[in-house]
Amino acid sequence: MSAWSNLMRQAAVLCGLLTVALAVVLMAIKYQVQAYEEELAHLNDRIVQEKQTIQILKAEFSYRTEPDRLRGLATQYLGLVPIEPARLATFAGLDDPRFDQHADPVVGTAPVKQRSLAMGARR
Amino acid sequence: MNGGKVSAPAAGESRQPASVSASAVAAGDAEGLRLRALETARDRLLAAGLVFVVAFLICAGRLVDLGAFGGGSADGPTAAVATGTVGRGDIVDRNGVLLATSLPTASLFADPKEVIDPRAAAAALAQVFPSLDRNWLHSMLTHDSRFVWLRRNLNPSEQNAVNRLGIPGLGFRTEYRRVYPQGRSSAHVLGRADIDEFGVAGIERSFDAVLANGETVRLSLDMRIQQTVRDELMAVVREHRAIGGAGVVLDVATGELLAMVSLPDFDPNAPVNPEDQARFNRVSQGVYEMGSVFKLLTLAMALDSGVTTLESGYDASRPLRIGHHTISDYHAKNRWLSVPEILIHSSNIGAALMAIDIGSARQRQYLQHFGMLNTSSIDLPVQEVGKPLVPNPWRDVNTMTVGFGHGIAVTPLQMVAATASVVNGGVYRPASLLCADDSVLAPGVRVVSPRTSKQMRAMLRLVVRFGTGMKADVPGYNVGGKTGTAEKLIKGQYRRDQRVASFIGAFPMEAPRYVVFAMVDEPKGTRKTFNYATGGWVSAPLVGRIIARIAPVLGIAPAEEIREAKTSPAKNAPSHKEQMMQAIREAIASSKGRQLAAN
C-alpha cells in the first residue's frame, strides 16, 4: 500500500520534471526556429541579390561580346578579317595534289600554309 | 486521489465506535457529514482529473502523430525559398546570347506630406537632374498624396547624389529596367517594353504573358548572322544613299529566321519617340511590289502545273500591248526566248505570257499556297505585320503583271517563305522567329513537286552563273537566286528614279540550306555601279558578300570546285553565251535524269 503511494509520488515528481524539461526544450526549439527563419530570410535576400548580380553580369557580357563591337576591336588590334571561303579546308582536302599547286603566295612555304588553312583565320 | 481512496476504509473503521457511544452520536454525525463532504470532493477531483488525463492523452497522441508520422496538416508552413528569375523574363537568341533582360535600378519617389521645404528640395533635385523642371518638381512635392514618382530608373551615381542631398520624405524603390545589351542590331524584332515592363512592341508584346511570368523566350535569330547581314546591308544603304533596306536569312528546312534586319533602325535603350520612322519594320510590315524576283514563282507554277517545260519558249520579240498597258523588257533581247532564258534575262514579256498560260484561277491558287495572299502568321504583333495588296478584281492584265511581280505588293517575309518552299523540295513552312529546337516542327504543306523544286534550283543557279544575278556568286557555295528591280508606285505613277532593288538567293544550290534576301529601298547609282541602281548591281553583290561571310559561320564547307574557280580561264574558252547554252542543255538533261544538277 505505501509502496503504491510511494510509486505514485515518484511518478508525480517525474511528471513534473518532464513538464519542466519539455518546456525548456520547447523554448529552445522555438528560438532555434526563429534563428533559422532569420537565416532563411537573409539567404533569400542574398539569393535575390546574387541573381541580380548574375543578371547584370550576363547583360554586361552580352554587351561586351556584341559581334559588331568585337569586330571593331579585332580589326583595330588584331588585324583579323572575316574568313574567305577559299581559306577553309578539310583534312581530307590536304592530301589533294591540287592543293599545293594553287598555294597562296602570301603565306610562305607549303607546310605553314597548310597549318594556317586548317586553323582558319590566321593571316 | 488514489491515496484518498485508499484511506477511505480507515475512515469507515473510525466510524464504528461512534455507534457504540450515544454521547458520541452527535459528534459522530458531524464527523460523518465531514467525511461525506470529503468523499464528494475526492470524487469530483477524480472526475476532473480524469478529464485532464484524457485531454493530456489527446495532446500527447497528437504530438506523437505530428512528430513521428507527420500527420495532419503538418506540411503547412515550409521555408519560402526565392525561385525563378528576377523580374521579367529574358529574350535570348538561338545560341543563348542575351538580347533583352531586366536589371534592378533604383527609382526615386517622394512622400509630399513628409517633405519639409518643398521649394528648397525642388531646387536641389533640379540640380541633380537637369532634365527635370524645377516647377514641376515643386508641384510634385506639394502634391496632395502620400506617394509620387519623381524619377524612375536612376543610375547609381544619381542615386548617390540624391542620397547626399539628405532631403526627408524622399525614398527609393527597386524597380526593374528593360535593357537590350546588343543594342540596335535586332531592335525591330525585340520591340519594346514600357517603364512598367509591359510589352508594347515586337516580341516583347507578342510574348508579353510568357515574359511577365519570368520565363525566357528563345528566338530563332543567330546574332552572328544578324550582325553580319546588318553590317553588309548598312554599308550598301550608305554607299547608294538609299532610304532604307531589309535583309533576311531563313532556314529552308524549318522556316526559322536566322536574321531579320530592317534599316534604318533605332536604339531600343534610348527614350522612345513614337513618331520615329525607323520603328517601321521593312521585313514584316512593309509591302512592296517585288518585281522580277516574283518570276521565280511564276516559273515554278508553270513548271509544276505542266503548262510549260524547260524546253519550251516564248516570243519576246516585241512589247506586249494589253488595252493601254505596254509590257516591255528591261534587258530586252527582242527575240524568241527559251524558258530558262526568260528567267536568266528576266524577261517581263516572257513571264507575262507564261502567267497567261497558267491562267488567273490557277495563279491565284498557287499564290495562296505560297502564302502570298494572306497576312503572314509570324510571331509578331498583328500591327507589325503587313497585309499584302492584291489586285481586285483579278483581271487578265493583272494575271500578266503579277507574273513579273507588279500589281501585287507583299512583305519581304512572304517572299522569303515562298522562295524557301520552291527550293527546299516543294514544302511550304511559314517563317518563324522562335527557335525550332524547343518545339515540334509543324508539318509543312506541299506546294510544288520535288521535281519542280529540282528544276527551279537548276534554273536559279543559271541566273547567278549567266544572268542578272552574276554578282551574287560566291566561289564554292553554288549560289542561286533571282534579281528584282521594281519602280515604286508613288501617287499612281511608277517612278524610274525611286526603285526597290532586291535579290533573293539560296545556297548551296545542290541542296539549299538557307535563303538569303536583301532589298535596298531607293538606291542611287554610283560610279562603281556605272550609275545602275538595280537588283543585279546593288542587291546581288550584297547577298554574295553576306553568303561569303555567313556560310563559314553556319558550318557549311565550300565545294571542291572552289579551287578550279580560282584558275584563270583557258585561252580558247568558249564564249559566255556558248557556255550558257551548254549549261542550259546540261540543266535540262539532268533534270530529266535522276542526277541532280550541281551547278
Side-chain angles (χ1 to χ4, degrees):
Chain A
M1 212 142 311
S2 102
W4 178 248
S5 80
N6 212 11
L7 189 70
M8 284 302 116
R9 197 164 300 125
Q10 279 175 356
V13 169
L14 192 70
C15 277
L17 282 177
L18 263 176
T19 312
V20 171
L22 275 175
V24 168
V25 168
L26 187 69
M27 205 151 89
I29 288 178
K30 199 187 158 193
Y31 277 108
Q32 208 179 353
V33 166
Q34 254 174 15
Y36 277 138
E37 263 167 4
E38 264 167 42
E39 198 188 338
L40 177 72
H42 178 67
L43 283 176
N44 277 345
D45 272 0
R46 272 187 54 194
I47 289 173
V48 170
Q49 262 178 26
E50 292 295 331
K51 277 187 173 165
Q52 288 179 345
T53 311
I54 290 171
Q55 204 85 333
I56 293 169
L57 290 175
K58 268 161 71 183
E60 172 143 13
F61 180 81
S62 175
Y63 172 73
R64 295 209 179 271
T65 56
E66 189 209 358
D68 221 23
R69 186 174 174 277
L70 288 186
R71 182 167 50 243
L73 292 175
T75 333
Q76 192 179 345
Y77 296 109
L78 303 174
L80 293 179
V81 292
I83 312 170
E84 292 160 31
R87 298 192 155 262
L88 292 173
T90 57
F91 284 108
L94 293 177
D95 296 322
D96 195 324
R98 287 179 300 173
F99 206 75
D100 292 344
Q101 207 178 319
H102 302 290
D104 197 330
V106 175
V107 189
T109 52
V112 176
K113 154 90 177 158
Q114 286 183 1
R115 197 176 308 139
S116 73
L117 269 171
M119 283 170 73
R122 261 325 137 70
R123 262 236 149 141
Chain B
M1 273 168 270
N2 284 346
K5 225 178 184 176
V6 174
S7 64
E13 262 174 80
S14 70
R15 228 187 290 170
Q16 271 159 2
S19 60
V20 179
S21 154
S23 64
V25 168
D29 269 3
E31 178 79 349
L33 269 174
R34 200 179 66 86
L35 285 172
R36 216 167 298 142
L38 259 177
E39 195 129 353
T40 315
R42 276 198 191 109
D43 288 349
R44 284 181 184 161
L45 264 177
L46 187 67
L50 272 175
V51 169
F52 274 98
V53 165
V54 169
F56 274 114
L57 277 176
I58 289 173
C59 285
R62 180 69 178 144
L63 264 176
V64 171
D65 180 37
L66 288 179
F69 306 110
S73 56
D75 49 11
T78 46
V81 179
T83 52
T85 54
V86 188
R88 190 175 166 89
D90 295 344
I91 302 177
V92 299
D93 86 341
R94 65 184 305 113
N95 303 314
V97 173
L98 195 65
L99 302 180
T101 189
S102 290
L103 297 185
T105 57
S107 286
L108 177 65
F109 70 90
D111 178 352
K113 292 266 182 303
E114 287 188 12
V115 179
I116 298 162
D117 183 355
R119 193 159 299 277
L125 284 171
Q127 292 244 304
V128 177
F129 305 107
S131 63
L132 291 186
D133 179 52
R134 200 160 143 176
N135 294 328
W136 178 85
L137 277 168
H138 184 258
S139 71
M140 290 316 271
L141 292 175
T142 51
H143 200 262
D144 186 24
S145 69
R146 300 296 310 259
F147 185 94
V148 284
W149 282 123
L150 293 181
R151 177 111 170 161
R152 318 264 299 256
N153 301 330
L154 274 64
N155 63 38
S157 66
E158 285 173 331
Q159 188 185 5
N160 198 17
V162 173
N163 271 334
R164 230 169 350 187
L165 293 177
I167 303 172
L170 300 187
F172 296 104
R173 251 184 210 189
T174 300
E175 277 200 304
Y176 287 93
R177 193 204 152 140
R178 213 59 181 152
V179 173
Y180 305 92
Q182 298 265 322
R184 295 169 166 264
S185 54
S186 51
H188 288 100
V189 177
L190 297 176
R192 192 171 67 83
D194 68 8
I195 193 152
D196 292 314
E197 296 212 296
F198 288 115
V200 290
I203 290 289
E204 292 272 25
R205 179 169 180 172
S206 50
F207 287 92
D208 189 45
V210 179
L211 290 165
N213 208 11
E215 289 171 50
T216 299
V217 171
R218 187 165 165 224
L219 299 184
S220 60
L221 294 185
D222 184 326
M223 284 321 285
R224 302 168 301 173
I225 312 299
Q226 175 88 2
Q227 283 275 22
T228 306
V229 172
R230 176 169 180 268
D231 189 44
E232 293 289 350
L233 186 65
M234 206 148 66
V236 169
V237 164
R238 203 171 290 146
E239 185 188 336
H240 290 277
R241 305 189 305 284
I243 61 164
V248 181
V249 177
L250 177 115
D251 186 324
V252 299
T254 60
E256 293 171 280
L257 287 156
L258 269 70
M260 186 194 217
V261 179
S262 171
L263 291 179
D265 51 19
F266 57 94
D267 183 356
N269 294 311
V272 194
N273 172 14
E275 298 297 304
D276 193 357
Q277 291 293 308
R279 298 202 163 261
F280 185 78
N281 187 343
R282 281 184 154 78
V283 178
S284 68
Q285 218 168 346
V287 293
Y288 302 90
E289 288 184 280
M290 284 290 160
S292 306
V293 293
F294 234 74
K295 287 171 192 159
L296 76 92
L297 299 181
T298 304
L299 180 57
M301 293 176 207
L303 291 172
D304 193 61
S305 59
V307 298
T308 192
T309 66
L310 291 180
E311 285 137 307
S312 339
Y314 290 90
D315 181 15
S317 57
R318 67 185 77 83
L320 282 177
R321 275 178 226 288
I322 307 283
H324 48 268
H325 297 266
T326 306
I327 297 169
S328 55
D329 281 353
Y330 186 77
H331 312 271
K333 298 286 169 195
N334 298 324
R335 62 178 170 86
W336 188 91
L337 292 174
S338 71
V339 166
E341 283 177 309
I342 286 172
L343 199 68
I344 291 168
H345 298 307
S346 195
S347 164
N348 291 342
I349 303 168
L353 292 170
M354 218 183 277
I356 284 292
D357 275 0
I358 295 164
S360 176
R362 196 147 48 180
Q363 183 186 43
R364 257 182 298 178
Q365 199 190 342
Y366 270 108
L367 288 177
Q368 179 78 44
H369 289 167
F370 281 132
M372 288 301 194
L373 305 184
N374 295 85
T375 312
S376 47
S377 62
I378 189 78
D379 325 281
L380 287 173
V382 278
Q383 294 84 347
E384 291 166 44
V385 185
K387 190 176 185 292
L389 301 175
V390 297
N392 186 21
W394 200 300
R395 297 200 190 86
D396 274 356
V397 62
N398 301 116
T399 303
M400 293 169 83
T401 59
V402 167
F404 56 89
H406 282 78
I408 184 167
V410 298
T411 62
L413 205 58
Q414 289 173 293
M415 191 65 220
V416 170
T419 307
S421 72
V422 169
V423 298
N424 74 357
V427 178
Y428 178 85
R429 276 200 179 82
S432 161
L433 274 169
L434 285 189
C435 188
D437 295 357
D438 296 344
S439 55
V440 182
L441 195 61
V445 182
R446 175 155 297 284
V447 284
V448 295
S449 68
R451 181 167 177 272
T452 305
S453 177
K454 185 176 153 189
Q455 289 175 324
M456 285 307 299
R457 294 202 289 266
M459 290 301 109
L460 292 173
R461 177 70 190 136
L462 288 179
V463 174
V464 172
R465 277 184 79 195
F466 302 106
T468 51
M470 279 169 75
K471 292 192 185 303
D473 204 15
V474 182
Y477 284 115
N478 290 330
V479 180
K482 183 75 194 80
T483 57
T485 312
E487 287 165 11
K488 278 174 112 173
L489 189 63
I490 292 169
K491 293 185 185 130
Q493 286 277 312
Y494 281 104
R495 303 289 298 264
R496 285 216 69 149
D497 53 337
Q498 285 167 308
R499 295 164 158 164
V500 172
S502 51
F503 182 86
I504 191 151
F507 76 98
M509 224 45 203
E510 60 274 13
R513 296 268 307 274
Y514 299 98
V515 167
V516 181
F517 172 84
M519 183 194 85
V520 182
D521 201 347
E522 295 188 19
K524 322 283 185 294
T526 64
R527 182 175 294 190
K528 224 167 95 189
T529 64
F530 307 100
N531 276 326
Y532 283 109
T534 61
W537 279 96
V538 175
S539 300
L542 167 60
V543 168
R545 281 195 296 273
I546 290 173
I547 291 176
R549 277 179 64 181
I550 66 173
V553 176
L554 292 166
I556 301 174
E560 278 301 303
E561 170 216 27
I562 185 168
R563 294 286 154 198
E564 284 149 36
K566 268 195 145 184
T567 57
S568 53
K571 289 260 161 53
N572 52 357
S575 75
H576 180 77
K577 197 177 171 194
E578 283 163 16
Q579 277 185 29
M580 181 179 91
M581 286 311 180
Q582 176 61 31
I584 291 175
R585 279 193 294 275
E586 281 169 15
I588 293 171
S590 78
S591 75
K592 277 182 179 162
R594 269 188 208 89
Q595 213 192 350
L596 197 66
N599 44 3

